[in-house]
């Protein structure tokens, strides 16, 4: 090919690419956000789930350069920013903390170091510690922690429990509940459990646990009264809740009780009339959470053997927000692996992440290992679209100093754990923008809003255009009706295309920026280079004549 032919070929490809990008920009339909002098539209294009999460997204091609329309009486001019592209911050070097994603504070600890503390604090409490006598409540420890979180601009999350694990003979019901005659069967029983020696297969000496009678109506009534009193105390203290981990039933409040407890001697001591929890009682424990806290985000343990309760919880209409999911043992096949081998059942939960968060935590690593399978944990975050991880229980219990366990890990293990927090949840950024003049002299603003993460945000963010004067004050703002939750992730895109004639009277230079604001949280920080210190992004500099 001659040099002239080669030059013509390059020019042809260039103009063809602009034409295709312009066609893509015009494909979007849908609603909203324009002001009194204009309109806007938005479209969402979600890439296939096989797109590698946490990789830098390719350019969307949604925002092609536009020439200014002829506007003899134009009042605005564009000093800079008529067409811009932006660099997404790679997950490997990301150092910001955004709400309800990445790691959250887990039971008084944050073991994986982060650039700043998490914006959510999560803890668990036994019923016994919260009610000292019938109707006499002591929420002081819970409220102290929740109020400290509030003072730091954080939200709070919790789970209530009435049982611990195996080999714990303690009773975690309040004293007045234990063996109360109002219960049909003393409100529970002490069960013996005999583990088997893994070498000799001989039964080991029995250990004991107190198992509440989950089906007792009076016990359930008192449990709901506890939740009601806690709701009132939280409301009085002005506590903002991130989520409620639906608990009360099961060992650790995790909706599982060892079946052998109900087999009788030598494994248990089951009184006549006491049975394992019924489907109706499971529903009752979930229902009491939903009825007492109807407007709070709830999450339920995604356990395959609790499919009946989970199915009801995900389909009920008592709560204003869809119920989310939680799982233990990230990086193991113990819990999530059950769903992989039961695809028909997995269909029940596989799309719930589009409506509500999926929350995870670690279990202790297997004997002889420093950590769980971190590569598996990474793939599970992507596969199940997990938004936030409990920042604890990430190293062996070889040291009584919990915070020192981080030092047990190799540098590669530490780096991988830091990476999991960066990978989980949403990663919103602006990839391209363009600002041009309309024939009436108003501004046309277009931008491609991307999500390079594994899930959307489930918070009520408000997307705004802002015009900022030379003194740094917002002179005018324009709401956009895009819903960030519709931008699901895996490099999905939303097209912003709006016309705006800002109502300002002082001539001069103004900065045009885009920001996501919330009634509680600080501004969302776009995951990209060049963002402003408050998290917003400058799109252009414009001049009012």
């Amino acid at each position: 090919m001659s040099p002239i032919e080669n030059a013509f070929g390059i020019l042809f490809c260039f103009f063809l690419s602009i034409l295709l990008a312009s066609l893509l920009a015009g494909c979007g339909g849908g609603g909203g956000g324009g002001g009194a002098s204009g309109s806007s539209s938005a479209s969402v294009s979600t890439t296939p789930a096989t797109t590698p999460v946490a990789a830098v997204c390719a350019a969307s091609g949604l925002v092609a350069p536009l020439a200014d329309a002829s506007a003899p009486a134009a009042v605005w001019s564009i000093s800079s920013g008529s067409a811009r592209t932006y660099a997404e911050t790679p997950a490997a070097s990301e150092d910001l903390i955004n709400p309800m994603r990445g790691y959250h504070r887990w039971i008084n600890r944050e073991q994986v170091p982060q650039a700043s503390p998490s914006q959510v604090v999560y803890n668990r409490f036994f019923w016994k510690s919260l009610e000292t006598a019938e109707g006499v409540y002591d929420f002081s420890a819970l409220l102290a922690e929740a109020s400290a979180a509030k003072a730091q601009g954080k939200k709070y999350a919790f789970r209530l429990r009435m049982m611990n694990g195996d080999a714990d003979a303690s009773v975690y019901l309040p004293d007045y509940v234990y063996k109360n005659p109002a219960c049909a069967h003393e409100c529970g029983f002490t069960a013996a459990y005999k583990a088997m020696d893994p070498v000799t297969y001989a039964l080991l000496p029995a250990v004991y646990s107190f198992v509440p009678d989950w089906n007792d109506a009076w016990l359930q009534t008192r449990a709901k009264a506890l939740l009601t009193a806690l709701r009132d105390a939280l409301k009085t203290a002005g506590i903002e809740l991130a989520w409620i981990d639906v608990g009360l039933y099961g060992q650790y409040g995790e909706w599982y009780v060892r079946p052998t407890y109900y087999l009788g001697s030598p494994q248990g001591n089951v009184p006549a009339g006491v049975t394992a929890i019924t489907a109706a009682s499971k529903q009752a424990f979930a229902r009491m959470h939903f009825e007492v806290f109807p407007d709070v985000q709830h999450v339920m343990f995604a356990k395959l053997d609790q499919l009946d309760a989970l199915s009801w919880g995900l389909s009920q209409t008592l709560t204003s927000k869809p119920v989310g999911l939680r799982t233990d043992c990230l990086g193991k096949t113990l819990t999530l692996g059950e769903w992989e081998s039961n695809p028909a059942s997995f269909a029940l939960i596989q799309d719930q992440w589009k409506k509500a968060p999926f929350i995870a935590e670690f279990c202790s690593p297997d004997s002889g290992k420093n950590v769980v399978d971190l590569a598996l944990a990474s793939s599970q975050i992507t596969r199940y679209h997990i938004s936030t991880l409990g920042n604890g229980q990430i190293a062996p219990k070889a040291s009584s100093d919990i915070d020192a366990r981080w030092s047990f890990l190799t540098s590669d293990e530490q780096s991988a754990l830091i990476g999991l927090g960066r990978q989980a949840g949403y990663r919103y950024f602006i990839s391209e923008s363009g600002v041009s003049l309309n024939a009436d002299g108003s501004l046309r603003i277009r931008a491609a809003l991307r999500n390079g993460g594994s899930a959307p945000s489930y918070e009520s963010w408000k997307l705004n255009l802002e015009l900022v004067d030379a003194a740094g004050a917002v002179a005018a703002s324009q709401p956009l009706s895009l819903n960030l939750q519709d931008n699901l992730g895996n490099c999905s895109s939303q097209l912003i295309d709006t016309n705006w004639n800002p109502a300002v009277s002082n001539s001069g230079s103004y900065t045009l920026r885009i920001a996501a604001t919330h009634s509680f949280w600080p501004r969302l920080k776009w995951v990209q280079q060049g963002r402003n210190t408050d998290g917003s992004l400058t799109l252009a500099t414009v001049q009012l004549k």
Side-chain angles (χ1 to χ4, degrees):
M1 180 179 290
S2 70
I4 294 177
E5 289 172 321
N6 185 52
F8 275 114
I10 293 172
L11 286 172
F12 175 79
C13 291
F14 173 76
F15 286 114
L16 181 60
S17 66
I18 292 178
L19 177 60
L20 289 173
S22 299
L23 290 173
L24 281 170
C27 290
S37 63
S39 61
S40 70
S41 61
S43 63
V44 181
S45 173
T46 305
T47 54
T50 52
T51 301
V53 173
V56 175
C57 299
S60 70
L62 291 175
V63 182
L66 290 179
D68 293 337
S70 177
V75 293
W76 291 100
S77 62
I78 302 166
S79 303
S80 64
S82 57
R84 284 181 174 174
T85 58
Y86 309 89
E88 174 191 2
T89 303
S93 57
E94 179 189 320
D95 61 353
L96 60 84
I97 301 295
N98 268 322
M100 300 287 285
R101 68 167 302 275
Y103 283 112
H104 59 265
R105 184 171 178 82
W106 187 85
I107 311 184
N108 305 317
R109 67 194 63 131
E110 294 184 63
Q111 290 182 299
V112 180
Q114 299 184 96
S116 58
S118 168
Q119 293 179 314
V120 173
V121 175
Y122 170 81
N123 214 331
R124 302 167 183 168
F125 297 87
F126 288 112
W127 184 358
K128 184 183 181 72
S129 69
L130 302 177
E131 190 174 8
T132 57
E134 185 170 355
V136 180
Y137 298 100
D138 181 5
F139 299 127
S140 57
L142 186 154
L143 290 176
E145 184 177 57
S147 296
K150 174 188 173 184
Q152 297 168 17
K154 302 176 182 182
K155 287 191 177 185
Y156 195 66
F158 67 87
R159 182 204 304 164
L160 302 186
R161 306 182 284 181
M162 62 174 93
M163 184 180 178
N164 207 4
D166 292 319
D168 188 343
S170 299
V171 177
Y172 293 96
L173 295 176
D175 291 341
Y176 84 91
V177 174
Y178 178 58
K179 294 189 176 182
N180 193 302
C183 282
H185 306 286
E186 298 185 336
C187 298
F189 64 101
T190 299
Y193 167 63
K194 293 188 176 182
M196 184 177 289
D197 187 291
V199 178
T200 66
Y201 300 104
L203 287 178
L204 299 174
V207 293
Y208 297 90
S209 296
F210 183 82
V211 183
D213 183 3
W214 315 106
N215 299 317
D216 189 89
W218 185 78
L219 180 77
Q220 293 176 11
T221 298
R222 295 310 308 159
K224 186 173 183 180
L226 170 69
L227 287 170
T228 303
L230 178 56
R231 176 201 63 199
D232 295 342
L234 290 168
K235 183 177 181 180
T236 299
I239 303 301
E240 292 276 351
L241 292 177
W243 68 81
I244 294 175
D245 186 353
V246 177
L248 286 175
Y249 162 60
Q251 294 172 249
Y252 306 105
E254 291 182 339
W255 288 67
Y256 171 83
V257 176
R258 189 176 294 280
T260 54
Y261 285 158
Y262 297 95
L263 295 180
S265 181
Q267 296 289 344
N269 246 333
V270 190
V274 173
T275 66
I277 192 169
T278 64
S281 290
K282 290 178 188 177
Q283 189 177 125
F285 279 109
R287 178 184 289 274
M288 66 179 68
H289 286 80
F290 302 156
E291 288 181 340
V292 175
F293 294 94
D295 297 320
V296 175
Q297 179 67 66
H298 294 267
V299 296
M300 294 182 71
F301 199 176
K303 280 185 64 64
L304 186 62
D305 60 6
Q306 302 299 333
L307 197 62
D308 53 349
L310 195 58
S311 178
W312 178 82
L314 299 187
S315 62
Q316 53 77 34
T317 57
L318 296 170
T319 56
S320 60
K321 299 179 180 181
V323 172
L325 301 169
R326 64 164 296 272
T327 188
D328 282 350
C329 301
L330 187 73
K332 295 185 177 183
T333 59
L334 184 63
T335 302
L336 292 177
E338 297 175 333
W339 298 101
E340 297 294 340
S341 56
N342 290 273
S345 297
F346 180 55
L348 171 70
I349 69 167
Q350 66 178 353
D351 288 330
Q352 195 68 14
W353 67 274
K354 297 178 181 179
K355 300 181 286 186
F358 201 143
I359 294 164
E361 64 185 58
F362 298 100
C363 290
S364 296
D366 295 333
S367 177
K369 293 186 177 181
N370 274 357
V371 289
V372 297
D373 186 333
L374 298 178
L376 176 60
S378 177
S379 67
Q380 288 172 336
I381 289 172
T382 302
R383 166 76 166 132
Y384 294 95
H385 305 275
I386 290 169
S387 286
T388 179
L389 317 172
N391 195 351
Q393 205 160 256
I394 49 87
K397 297 180 179 178
S399 170
S400 58
D401 182 355
I402 294 174
D403 294 325
R405 293 177 190 169
W406 178 253
S407 63
F408 281 81
L409 306 178
T410 67
S411 59
D412 286 345
E413 290 167 341
Q414 291 177 346
S415 296
L417 281 162
I418 291 171
L420 294 181
R422 293 169 173 171
Q423 178 186 349
Y426 59 87
R427 302 184 78 249
Y428 291 115
F429 67 100
I430 307 296
S431 61
E432 303 122 274
S433 69
V435 180
S436 57
L437 293 179
N438 293 316
D440 63 359
S442 63
L443 300 172
R444 182 178 180 186
I445 301 126
R446 295 164 301 129
L449 197 162
R450 314 293 300 281
N451 183 2
S454 57
S457 171
Y458 307 94
E459 299 290 282
S460 299
W461 295 102
K462 293 182 179 179
L463 201 61
N464 300 287
L465 295 171
E466 297 177 338
L467 206 63
V468 181
D469 64 21
V474 177
S477 64
Q478 170 83 337
L480 302 168
S481 65
L482 293 185
N483 185 351
L484 290 185
Q485 189 172 340
D486 294 334
N487 206 332
L488 295 176
N490 292 352
C491 293
S492 57
S493 303
Q494 287 172 302
L495 174 63
I496 298 166
D497 193 343
T498 188
N499 302 314
W500 186 25
N501 194 358
V504 295
S505 56
N506 296 328
S507 60
S509 180
Y510 292 85
T511 298
L512 176 65
R513 67 189 187 190
I514 186 168
T517 62
H518 193 275
S519 59
F520 179 84
W521 300 115
R523 292 185 170 208
L524 188 76
K525 297 179 178 65
W526 304 117
V527 186
Q528 59 194 108
Q529 300 171 30
R531 68 175 181 270
N532 300 317
T533 55
D534 67 351
S536 65
L537 180 71
T538 297
L539 301 180
T541 302
V542 296
Q543 190 86 15
L544 180 63
K545 298 179 180 179

